[in-house]
C-alpha cells in the first residue's frame, strides 16, 4: 500500500471539461448501506432508526430551490459565518482497498471495497466500525479487538498519507459586520484541493491555514462520525454522500466544489460553495431560493440535481 500510495503524488490533474455540466454518464453506484443499528456505549450495539435524509429528500429541496430562484441574478446572498461538515481530503485506492477521506472536523475514515467502513473521531479517542450489514461497533484505540487491527492500521496509514501529502479542500469565508451594518467578507490564503490516484488538485502540504468550521454533524463523544455512504467518479467530478445526508461534488477541471448539507427543510439546509480560488462561502438554501445566486453556482446546482435524481432512483425513491 505504501508504494502504491506514494505513486499518487506524481499524478497530474484531470483536465476534463464540464461540457455545460450535463451528466452524460449514467451513475450506477449502489455502493452504500443504510445504518440499521447504532451504538450507545463502547462496544455495545442497540437498534436504531434509519436515516431519513435521503437522496430523494435533497433532490426535492434542490428542485424547489431551483424552481423558486429568480433568473438573471449575478450575485449571491449574504454568506453565513459557519460551514457544514464536508470532505476536505480524499484518496481513491479502490483498485485494492477502498476510499479514504478526511472531514472538516479532522475525523478520518475509510470505505472498504467489501462495504465495511472504519472511522476515527477528530480527537482520536473513538474508532467506529460499520460491518456490511450496517451494524456499528465503537471502541477506543487502546482496546481494539484483534479482528479490527488490520483495518485500523490501514486507516492510520491513509490518515498519515493524507496529512503529509494532501492539503485542505477550501477555506472559510469569514463574515464580519461593519459599523455601517454592511457585511464584508475576508478570507485567509486559500489552500489547494484534495487529490486522488488520478489527481484532483495538487499535493502541496498546507500549514497554518484555517479549516472550515463545522456547524453540525461533527463527531463528539455523543455523536457517531459521519461516514461516506456512497461515492461515484465520473470524467468531470467525484460525487460523495455522507451518512448524515450531506451531498458533495468536487469538479476536477476548476477545483470548484458544491456541498448541500443533509437536512429536511430549506430553512435548515445549507449550501457550501468553494470557488476555483479555494475560497468557500455558505448560504442558507432558503436564501438562495428567494434571492438567487450567480451563474457558476446555479450551473453546479443543476448538475447536482441530476446526480441526486439518479441516486434517488437507484434507492427506489419516487422523485
Amino acid at each position: 500500500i505504501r508504494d502504491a500510495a506514494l505513486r499518487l503524488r506524481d499524478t497530474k490533474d484531470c483536465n476534463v471539461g464540464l461540457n455545460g455540466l450535463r451528466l452524460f454518464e449514467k451513475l450506477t453506484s449502489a455502493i452504500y448501506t443504510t445504518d440499521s443499528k447504532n451504538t450507545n456505549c463502547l462496544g455495545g450495539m442497540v437498534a436504531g432508526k434509519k436515516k431519513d435524509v435521503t437522496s430523494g429528500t435533497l433532490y426535492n429541496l434542490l428542485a424547489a430551490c431551483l424552481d423558486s430562484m429568480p433568473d438573471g441574478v449575478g450575485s449571491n446572498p449574504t454568506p453565513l459565518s459557519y460551514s457544514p461538515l464536508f470532505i476536505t481530503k480524499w484518496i481513491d485506492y479502490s483498485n485494492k482497498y477502498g476510499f479514504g477521506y478526511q472531514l472538516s472536523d479532522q475525523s478520518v475514515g475509510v470505505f472498504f471495497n467489501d462495504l465495511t467502513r472504519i472511522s476515527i473521531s477528530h480527537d482520536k479517542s473513538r474508532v467506529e466500525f460499520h460491518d456490511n450489514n450496517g451494524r456499528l461497533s465503537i471502541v477506543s484505540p487502546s482496546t481494539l479487538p484483534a479482528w479490527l487491527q488490520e483495518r485500523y492500521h490501514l486507516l492510520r496509514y491513509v490518515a498519515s498519507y493524507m496529512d503529509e501529502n494532501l492539503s485542505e479542500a477550501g477555506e472559510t469565508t469569514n463574515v464580519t459586520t461593519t459599523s455601517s451594518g454592511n457585511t464584508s467578507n475576508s478570507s485567509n490564503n486559500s489552500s489547494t484541493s484534495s487529490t486522488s490516484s488520478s489527481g484532483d488538485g495538487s499535493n502541496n502540504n498546507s500549514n497554518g491555514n484555517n479549516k472550515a468550521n463545522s456547524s453540525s454533524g461533527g463527531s463528539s463523544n455523543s455523536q457517531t462520525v459521519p461516514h461516506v455512504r456512497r461515492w461515484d467518479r465520473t470524467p468531470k467530478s467525484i460525487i460523495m454522500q455522507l451518512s448524515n445526508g450531506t451531498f458533495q461534488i468536487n469538479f476536477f477541471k476548476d477545483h470548484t466544489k458544491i456541498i448541500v448539507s443533509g437536512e429536511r427543510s430549506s430553512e435548515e439546509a445549507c449550501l457550501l460553495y468553494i470557488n476555483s480560488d479555494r475560497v468557500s462561502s455558505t448560504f442558507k438554501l432558503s436564501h438562495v431560493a428567494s434571492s438567487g445566486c450567480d451563474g457558476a453556482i446555479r450551473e453546479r446546482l443543476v448538475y447536482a440535481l441530476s446526480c441526486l435524481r439518479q441516486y434517488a432512483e437507484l434507492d427506489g425513491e419516487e422523485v
Side-chain angles (χ1 to χ4, degrees):
I1 184 171
R2 178 177 295 275
D3 291 339
L6 290 176
R7 287 197 298 271
L8 303 185
R9 289 183 295 184
D10 299 324
T11 57
K12 296 182 179 179
D13 292 356
C14 286
N15 191 24
V16 182
L18 295 181
N19 292 326
L21 297 176
R22 289 183 57 198
L23 187 63
F24 291 106
E25 53 284 332
K26 181 72 174 178
L27 300 180
T28 57
S29 171
I31 303 179
Y32 75 98
T33 56
T34 300
D35 295 338
S36 59
K37 293 183 181 295
N38 290 322
T39 180
N40 62 355
C41 61
L42 292 181
M45 290 183 291
V46 295
K49 294 182 179 180
K50 289 185 177 181
K51 304 295 183 183
D52 56 357
V53 182
T54 65
S55 299
T57 301
L58 290 185
Y59 173 85
N60 290 330
L61 287 179
L62 206 53
C65 174
L66 286 165
D67 287 342
S68 300
M69 70 171 61
D71 295 326
V73 176
S75 59
N76 297 316
T78 301
L80 305 174
S81 59
Y82 57 87
S83 298
L85 194 72
F86 69 102
I87 295 168
T88 58
K89 300 179 183 181
W90 58 272
I91 181 170
D92 179 0
Y93 201 41
S94 57
N95 63 329
K96 191 168 185 180
Y97 291 108
F99 183 82
Y101 56 93
Q102 178 178 293
L103 302 180
S104 53
D105 70 348
Q106 306 302 304
S107 55
V108 178
V110 177
F111 186 176
F112 292 106
N113 291 339
D114 64 359
L115 306 187
T116 61
R117 301 164 177 83
I118 190 170
S119 305
I120 189 166
S121 60
H122 66 95
D123 59 3
K124 314 307 178 192
S125 66
R126 292 153 50 95
V127 176
E128 302 179 3
F129 178 74
H130 295 257
D131 69 16
N132 51 22
N133 291 316
R135 290 178 298 181
L136 170 63
S137 299
I138 299 180
V139 297
S140 68
S142 61
T143 59
L144 280 175
W147 58 268
L148 197 53
Q149 291 283 350
E150 182 178 357
R151 292 175 190 273
Y152 178 65
H153 290 320
L154 285 170
L155 171 69
R156 289 186 60 189
Y157 180 78
V158 168
S160 176
Y161 175 81
M162 291 191 297
D163 186 56
E164 293 175 4
N165 296 281
L166 309 184
S167 51
E168 300 294 332
E171 295 299 321
T172 52
T173 298
N174 300 316
V175 180
T176 58
T177 303
T178 64
S179 57
S180 62
N182 297 322
T183 58
S184 61
N185 300 333
S186 62
S187 63
N188 297 307
N189 293 332
S190 59
S191 60
T192 54
S193 62
S194 57
T195 187
S196 77
S197 56
S198 66
D200 178 21
S202 59
N203 295 356
N204 299 327
N205 290 319
S206 61
N207 298 316
N209 291 327
N210 289 340
K211 311 298 188 299
N213 297 319
S214 171
S215 63
S216 62
S219 57
S220 70
N221 289 335
S222 61
Q223 292 179 302
T224 57
V225 178
H227 58 268
V228 168
R229 179 174 179 252
R230 72 191 334 155
W231 65 281
D232 248 308
R233 191 161 183 167
T234 78
K236 305 176 187 65
S237 64
I238 185 162
I239 305 160
M240 299 163 284
Q241 190 170 33
L242 294 176
S243 57
N244 64 2
T246 293
F247 185 76
Q248 176 170 342
I249 303 178
N250 294 11
F251 296 96
F252 293 138
K253 183 178 180 180
D254 59 4
H255 306 297
T256 57
K257 298 162 184 68
I258 197 90
I259 297 102
V260 181
S261 66
E263 306 291 352
R264 286 170 290 280
S265 75
S266 60
E267 271 302 321
E268 296 174 318
C270 294
L271 168 67
L272 170 61
Y273 177 63
I274 303 176
N275 67 18
S276 57
D277 293 323
R278 280 74 169 179
V279 176
S280 66
S281 301
T282 304
F283 314 99
K284 272 195 173 183
L285 201 60
S286 59
H287 295 172
V288 175
S290 60
S291 302
C293 60
D294 64 32
I297 295 179
R298 186 166 189 155
E299 279 186 307
R300 284 153 182 79
L301 288 178
V302 171
Y303 183 94
L305 186 70
S306 176
C307 297
L308 282 167
R309 182 182 184 90
Q310 293 190 49
Y311 279 163
E313 290 172 349
L314 284 170
D315 293 343
E317 296 183 82
E318 292 186 6
V319 292

